[in-house]
Amino acid sequence: MMRSVGTGLLLVGAPCSEPLSVGRKLLFVFRWGVFLLACAFLHAQLTTVKGTAALEAFRRMRENGLFPIVLLVTVLLMVVNWSIESRKWRWLMLPVERIGAGRSLLATVAGTSVGLITPNRTGEFLGRVLFLEPHHRVQGGFATALGSVAQFVITLVMGGLGLLALYGLGRPFPWTSGWVTTAILSLTVLVSTGALALYLHPGLLRQLLLLIPFLHRAERASAVLNAYEPERLYGVLALSALRYVVFTGQFVLLLTTFDPGLSVVDAACAVPVIYLVSTLIPTVMITELGIRGTAAVSLLVPLGGEEVPVLFATAILWSINVVLPAMVGSVILLMARVRTNNA
């Protein structure tokens, strides 16, 4: 069996004379299960009305001469987006295991395929930690959770600021009652404050996680959360903010391209609110297009946007940022078999 130097990956397809261990059999089932579920879910979504809107959006871009430039910029920003996330994950893994940039990127993209079939992408860490040494994977899971909390905090804070900006500019909301805005802002402040406190005090986060019955036995591995100094935590938070700016910029670019009547300022203020709503509503990535499309139409149409262009922009962004990485990630997870305890 051929082994890739420095990555710990075993390339599938090479002959192996030794019998498969239980760990390898479970890993085989897991990889093929994720791959087949990802394919099935993507096919189901792409055949819906909103899925076909993505294909129609690509066609319109090509007919209008927008396809080469806007698509190229959006794809390049997608690469920047996941490269930043990969860098962030490498930083978080330093107390656990030192990994190379290439291996970190492979793990990050592979995680998107698992996130495709789990609520709010919570399963991404499963795909990533498989690229760590077997005895580091539980620690890696706790460390990866810290990065998710950082991105969650940024999403809530920026969404709250976007909501305040729209209110300050006197822009209309899809709801008529002022108490709805107040309720959303109050909930955002409450949740983001609590999440930020847990992020900046990982020891407290560890204590809360250990209250979960099945995590109690991982007390030793969870001690990695005490290894992060404030400087590293602030650095990861900064990378999360930078990544947020990148995929927000993608959405604003697509919205203003498809709907010239929508101002850049209004789009830049509304997009964080769209991400806020999508984050607060429990979803799996495969239903994210429908929820984000509905939120986008509800928030942007009162600002002067048109429903069809908004849906097209949302579908294009979903195709590039979700479908493409998930397809590549599922192949990576299928073709790259990581070590098991008996390897």
Side-chain angles (χ1 to χ4, degrees), residues 272-321:
V273 183
I274 296 169
Y275 286 137
L276 173 65
V277 172
S278 301
T279 300
L280 293 177
I281 298 177
T283 64
V284 292
M285 197 184 293
I286 200 64
T287 63
E288 186 176 350
L289 174 61
I291 291 176
R292 185 171 296 177
T294 301
V297 169
S298 299
L299 285 163
L300 293 171
V301 168
L303 300 178
E306 297 182 12
E307 181 175 350
V308 173
V310 168
L311 285 176
F312 280 167
T314 306
I316 288 284
L317 186 68
W318 175 77
S319 301
I320 293 175
N321 280 4

Side-chain angles (χ1 to χ4, degrees), residues 145-284:
L146 200 58
S148 298
V149 174
Q151 199 68 56
F152 180 69
V153 168
I154 294 297
T155 301
L156 292 182
V157 171
M158 297 304 293
L161 292 176
L163 196 60
L164 283 174
L166 290 175
Y167 179 79
L169 292 172
R171 299 295 192 264
F173 291 107
W175 49 84
T176 56
S177 300
W179 70 267
V180 177
T181 305
T182 303
I184 295 176
L185 280 174
S186 300
L187 178 62
T188 301
V189 171
L190 179 64
V191 176
S192 60
T193 301
L196 182 61
L198 292 176
Y199 175 75
L200 295 177
H201 300 86
L204 178 59
L205 176 62
R206 180 195 178 204
Q207 293 177 15
L208 289 177
L209 289 175
L210 290 179
L211 293 177
I212 302 175
F214 69 88
L215 290 180
H216 184 69
R217 66 184 65 181
E219 182 175 1
R220 184 175 179 180
S222 67
V224 70
L225 293 176
N226 294 324
Y228 293 95
E229 299 177 352
E231 292 78 8
R232 185 171 301 279
L233 293 174
Y234 288 127
V236 170
L237 203 62
L239 286 175
S240 299
L242 179 59
R243 183 183 174 220
Y244 186 91
V245 170
V246 171
F247 58 69
T248 298
Q250 284 178 294
F251 205 176
V252 173
L253 172 64
L254 290 170
L255 285 170
T256 53
T257 297
F258 277 97
D259 193 349
L262 186 65
S263 73
V264 175
V265 173
D266 286 347
C269 293
V271 166
V273 183
I274 296 169
Y275 286 137
L276 173 65
V277 172
S278 301
T279 300
L280 293 177
I281 298 177
T283 64
V284 292

